[in-house]
Amino acid sequence: MSDSASDPRYLEMFPAWLSTLGSDVASLGKIVEDDATDEGVKRYAVSGLNYLFKSLDLIPDGIDDIGFLDDAFVLRVAASLAIADHADAKKGALEKLSEDAKALREFLGADYDRLESYVKGLRKGAARGRTVDDIMGDADVRKAFAHEVAAWSKEFQPPSFTRDPKTLIKLKAFLNAKLP
């Protein structure tokens, strides 16, 4: 593992990302509902948010300490991709999450490119029987999706995170093994 697995910055950063995951989800959910937001930006937001509802995550949600970090990572990469493709989207939650993705790139090293590729692929995937195209193409489906996202964000309870370098090693090992 690289030196990033022992960098104490991540032992503070990642628990903070877990504590804001519910509000990050709510912010991206508002982007999905905003008629003024570019469709390409919405597609990235929808693909990142739809990941929350996948039954097979990169890291199962029940894994102590790290189970929801993949969700936080996917949202940050999706925001970064949205801004990279739509530079005018630099505002609010997207910009903050995109900035966080820079630290994630440092942490993951070469595995970041694999994660980025995975997140790009989410635009074609499905969760709960809905694809991004289904959500984007039907106002009623999009409204129901936005409602589910809002409910998820309200119900989310941040898990614990053990501030131990072994947690970072476990996190990197999971992602290294699971990323295509």
Side-chain angles (χ1 to χ4, degrees), residues 31-54:
I31 289 170
V32 171
E33 294 180 287
D34 183 2
D35 291 335
T37 300
D38 179 88
E39 183 176 331
V41 171
K42 281 186 189 184
R43 283 187 176 277
Y44 279 113
V46 167
S47 65
L49 292 168
N50 208 26
Y51 177 80
L52 298 172
F53 303 115
K54 282 180 65 83

Side-chain angles (χ1 to χ4, degrees), residues 44 80-88 123:
Y44 279 113
S80 177
L81 290 168
I83 286 178
D85 285 357
H86 306 277
D88 58 330
R123 294 175 56 175

Side-chain angles (χ1 to χ4, degrees), residues 62-142:
I63 302 289
D64 290 339
D65 299 320
I66 64 171
F68 283 97
L69 274 172
D70 61 315
D71 301 277
F73 290 1
V74 164
L75 294 181
R76 281 158 175 79
V77 173
S80 177
L81 290 168
I83 286 178
D85 285 357
H86 306 277
D88 58 330
K90 284 191 170 185
K91 60 181 179 187
L94 278 178
E95 189 168 21
K96 177 203 165 298
L97 294 172
S98 180
E99 283 297 315
D100 287 349
K102 292 175 184 175
L104 182 56
R105 180 181 288 281
E106 292 173 13
F107 175 72
L108 290 177
D111 284 339
Y112 184 87
D113 292 336
R114 292 171 57 209
L115 178 59
E116 187 175 64
S117 179
Y118 178 81
V119 172
K120 286 178 183 177
L122 293 173
R123 294 175 56 175
K124 303 247 186 266
R128 292 189 179 171
R130 294 178 301 219
T131 65
V132 172
D133 286 340
D134 294 336
I135 295 165
M136 292 298 298
D138 185 318
D140 290 336
V141 173
R142 190 169 45 257

